[in-house]
Structures are given as structure tokens and as C-alpha cells.
Amino acid sequence: MAEQCLIAHISDPHIKADGRLSYRRVDTANALRQAVSTLNQLSPQPDLVLISGDLVDFGQPQEYVTFKRLLEDLRLPVYLIPGNHDNRDHLRASFPEHRYLFQHAEVVQWVVDDFPVRIIGLDSSVPGAPHGELSQASLDWLDATLVTRPDLPTLVMLHHHPFVSGIDHMDRQPLREAHRLAEVLTRHSQVERVICGHLHRTIQACVGGTLAISCPGLSHQVSLDLTPNGPSSFQLEPPGYLLHQWSSINGMVTHQGFIKHYPGPFPFFDTNGLID
Ligand SMILES: [Fe+2]
């Protein structure tokens, strides 16, 4: 019988405290509430949920209180990493029962071996800065960790995108020196996906011999604007999530779903065949 693992992936909830709106316009708390409801109703149920950073909007303790309260309704195990809007110390203080967050003292990097797919979380956040970095120590740890289980399909998660997206204002705050991460990945063919947030829309690129893919935002999406020096802006396009479905027969296949419910499902066929 084929081994299987279904991984739900959401990103960038940007939760604020006290019902405040992000950028005075976006109800991010309600967006997370709807996402939790959507994930709880998925069939089949995912084995786990990953959230790839920007958990809260300004890294404040009260924001993490709100974020945690909203997550309490999620009936699935969840794993977290920080983004540039987070504060790793406040994150850890708010989730002491998430023991994987404490695997390393300096940064929130971790490996979880509880599922058929090995999950590795990296901490690319730089306090006070919008761009991302991975230290040589983190890259060495990633390399050494991947060496230990070359037989296990592996998913690597970080917040910042390790590729050039073509959206200029986001490419001024990417994972810096992403080629150093790519060099590590090139040595480990078991890495089936590199997943990230930060871009607030789904973008795919090859990185280090594997597929890197960014998750849509939970509430607001970064505008699809490929003009050089395009302005920094967002749009209230449909929020979404990714489902990374792995099986020992088919490998990893990634789907995108939407949080909002649209009309349907409707049948293609009736008793006379394809509906005309
Ligand atoms: Fe974000």
C-alpha cells in the first residue's frame, strides 16, 4: 500500500490585536478564522498544517495572543516559522508547548520527523529588516540534517523567497544570497519542495534542482505587477492555500485552493453523457 502525506500550507496571516485592520483596510483576523474553517472541512483531512511566517503584523505579544486564540479552532497539528513581521522571541514565548520551536537557541529552525514527509523549517527573519538571510551556521545545519536521511522525501519551509519573482518591490526584500541555499539543495535530491510565503501570491521557480513555490496570502495579495520599479501595493484578490500531496507512488503534487466558497461543485456528466 502506498504511503501518503497531505500537507496544508497557509501563509502571512498578519494578525493584529484588538480587532484592528492591517493597513487600515484588511480584516486579517476574520481571514484566518475563515481559513481555519476551510481547513477543518477539507476531505480528506490534511495530516498537518504549515504556516510560513508573518504570523502577526508587528511582532507584538498581544498580536500573538490573538493569533493563538484564532488557531485554537484548528483541528489539525500546526507548525510555525517566523517572517519579517514576526518577533521570534515573542513567538516562542506565546507557544511554549510547540517544542520544535526550541530546537535551536539562536533562531527558530527545526526538523520534524513525525510524518512520511520530513519537514524542515528555517528562520530567514532579520530583526528590524524586511529582507531575509540564512547564516552560514543555518546552512551548515540544513546540509548536515539533510545528510542524515537521504531516503526521506523532504519539504523545506522558509519565509522569504529564494528566487527572483519579477515583482520589483518584493525582489528588493528577498532571501539574500539565495544561491548559497541553492548550493545546499543541489546536493540533496530528496528535497521535493521549497515552500515560502512573503510574496502573498503563488509563484513557482526552480531552485537548487527542486521546485520552490510561494503560498498565496491569507487575506491580501501582492499585486501582480511585473513593470520595472512598480509600486508597492496589494489587492484583495481571493485568499488561498496550498495542498502538498505526497505519495510513495506519485511523489509530490501541489494544488492551490481558495478560502472563499464559490458556487459548485457541478457535474460534467448526466445520464446522457457529457452535458451539452
Ligand atoms: Fe507578509
Side-chain angles (χ1 to χ4, degrees):
M1 180 148 171
E3 269 198 297
Q4 299 195 35
C5 188
L6 186 58
I7 302 162
H9 175 197
I10 58 177
S11 197
D12 295 76
H14 285 261
I15 297 302
K16 297 184 89 74
D18 306 321
R20 295 179 62 216
L21 303 179
S22 285
Y23 315 110
R24 302 193 196 109
R25 189 178 296 274
V26 186
D27 187 348
T28 53
N30 191 49
L32 180 54
R33 211 173 280 120
Q34 292 186 16
V36 166
S37 173
T38 297
L39 297 179
N40 281 338
Q41 293 176 61
L42 286 177
S43 178
Q45 279 280 272
D47 296 288
L48 68 156
V49 177
L50 302 175
I51 310 183
S52 50
D54 283 0
L55 310 172
V56 303
D57 211 24
F58 276 79
Q60 297 301 315
Q62 193 57 36
E63 294 178 332
Y64 286 105
V65 170
T66 304
F67 174 62
K68 187 171 187 176
R69 192 185 318 128
L70 290 163
L71 275 189
E72 282 172 358
D73 290 333
L74 184 62
R75 296 194 294 264
L76 301 162
V78 63
Y79 295 87
L80 311 170
I81 57 167
N84 53 296
H85 284 253
D86 288 296
N87 176 299
R88 64 172 69 103
D89 296 329
H90 293 163
L91 166 62
R92 287 202 269 219
S94 300
F95 288 87
E97 70 280 17
H98 283 228
R99 298 310 304 164
Y100 62 92
L101 293 173
F102 300 84
Q103 289 182 12
H104 292 263
E106 296 298 319
V107 292
V108 182
Q109 64 189 20
W110 46 263
V111 56
V112 169
D113 282 321
D114 297 342
F115 304 97
V117 173
R118 193 179 208 205
I119 312 293
I120 294 177
L122 298 174
D123 181 349
S124 57
S125 67
V126 179
H131 73 275
E133 294 178 9
L134 293 173
S135 68
Q136 190 56 50
S138 287
L139 291 167
D140 290 345
W141 172 80
L142 174 64
D143 201 15
T145 302
L146 290 169
V147 162
T148 61
R149 297 301 304 270
D151 54 316
L152 276 181
T154 301
L155 186 154
V156 174
M157 172 170 66
L158 76 166
H159 179 68
H160 292 84
H161 53 297
F163 52 84
V164 177
S165 73
I167 300 176
D168 265 4
H169 66 95
M170 295 307 293
D171 287 339
R172 286 193 284 275
Q173 45 178 292
L175 176 73
R176 286 189 183 166
E177 300 188 2
H179 66 277
R180 294 164 65 226
L181 172 63
E183 286 165 12
V184 173
L185 297 172
T186 302
R187 294 194 282 274
H188 304 283
S189 60
Q190 79 269 28
V191 178
E192 300 258 2
R193 285 289 182 282
V194 174
I195 63 171
C196 65
H198 196 48
L199 289 170
H200 288 240
R201 65 184 310 110
T202 304
I203 302 172
Q204 303 166 49
C206 289
V207 173
T210 190
L211 177 62
I213 182 166
S214 61
C215 190
L218 263 198
S219 49
H220 50 292
Q221 314 301 312
V222 166
S223 302
L224 177 53
D225 182 352
L226 302 181
T227 57
N229 297 310
S232 171
S233 66
F234 64 90
Q235 298 191 202
L236 298 180
E237 295 174 346
Y241 60 95
L242 299 179
L243 275 180
H244 308 285
Q245 183 178 42
W246 178 85
S247 86
S248 54
I249 294 176
N250 299 322
M252 189 78 83
V253 177
T254 296
H255 303 261
Q256 179 173 349
F258 296 98
I259 304 294
K260 183 180 172 187
H261 184 71
Y262 291 91
F266 305 110
F268 284 114
F269 296 88
D270 63 15
T271 53
N272 298 316
L274 188 62
I275 296 171
D276 184 2

